[in-house]
Amino acid sequence: MDSIKVKNFIILVLVIVNTVLLAVILTDSARGTELRREAVEGAVQLLSEYGISVSDDAQLGERSLSVYTVTRSEESERATAEALLGEVSMTDRGGGIMYYSSPMGEMTFRATGGVDLQYYGITAPKSDDPEKTALEMAKKLGVTVQNSEDSVSVSVKEDDSTVVEVCCSFMGAQVVNCRLSFTFKYGKLLSLSGTRPLSEVTSESMTNVIDVPTVLMRFIELTQEKGHVCSVLEQLELCFMQSSSASGGGSLSPVWRISTDTGDFYINAQTGKEESVS
């Protein structure tokens, strides 16, 4: 009987200790959340003092992304070329450039993710809906496109051609320097060009990204240092930026994109440095 009472007492003590620890953790978490909220509000207030308002639609919650090491897959590239051009012949042009050709057209892949496709005359695919066709072609290229307003743009040029530009995404986040441009004319897809994310992931590593208050403060610094002029911060998004080399290797790293009424600004989510995106 005594041993049973001792065991019950120990269990009761453990329950009490765990309950106290849980209460402490929840209290610390709530306090941390409150501090983050106050920091964001302070940064927003400071922005307003510099004449920059923050849209009610801007998402200012915390987010995170990993860093991915990626590489090209020549097998995947050949399969894509065959899916779009039928049976192809391949030529290694050196410098990481692979060229494919068939009676339907020609296609080039570069080690850095660059891709070009040109159809010949009557072999060009017909299209009554350029945007739909572009999205279908992007899928065949192994490219994922987010379902958002700024992921696809359609424009009509002076020569009556229609150009559909598609922003590539990876793991649910846009890759800011990977875009594909599809050109249509005479009811046909004539060509595509651009850069896509390298297709094969070799590793993933967690990283600490600068938080929302910090990136907002960094944005204020940049507007003052570089003379950027804007009046509304419309959106804050954590995206990827691809870095690649002629060897066919590269990485996808997190970058903050700040959308304003005068354009987009990019801040490296690890270093806080401004990034240039062409």
Side-chain angles (χ1 to χ4, degrees), residues 198-250:
L198 296 175
S199 58
E200 188 171 320
V201 176
T202 58
S203 69
E204 174 187 2
S205 59
M206 301 297 291
T207 185
N208 292 322
V209 301
I210 58 176
D211 59 18
V212 171
T214 302
V215 76
L216 293 178
M217 296 299 293
R218 181 64 182 128
F219 173 61
I220 293 173
E221 292 177 2
L222 288 174
T223 60
Q224 300 305 301
E225 292 173 4
K226 302 296 182 67
H228 295 321
V229 178
C230 62
S231 59
V232 182
L233 190 157
E234 298 175 342
Q235 192 55 268
L236 178 65
E237 185 178 5
L238 188 59
C239 305
F240 282 110
M241 175 175 283
Q242 177 166 274
S243 300
S244 54
S245 66
S247 65

Side-chain angles (χ1 to χ4, degrees), residues 18-70:
N18 287 334
T19 302
V20 171
L21 288 174
L22 178 60
V24 171
I25 292 171
L26 292 175
T27 300
D28 288 346
S29 177
R31 181 56 180 160
T33 300
E34 178 64 17
L35 289 174
R36 285 192 294 272
R37 184 185 65 79
E38 291 176 354
V40 171
E41 290 178 352
V44 170
Q45 177 60 36
L46 188 57
L47 278 167
S48 69
E49 294 176 7
Y50 281 90
I52 304 173
S53 63
V54 178
S55 170
D56 292 338
D57 296 329
Q59 301 296 318
L60 302 181
E62 294 300 328
R63 282 146 283 180
S64 64
L65 287 176
S66 299
V67 175
Y68 294 88
T69 302
V70 292

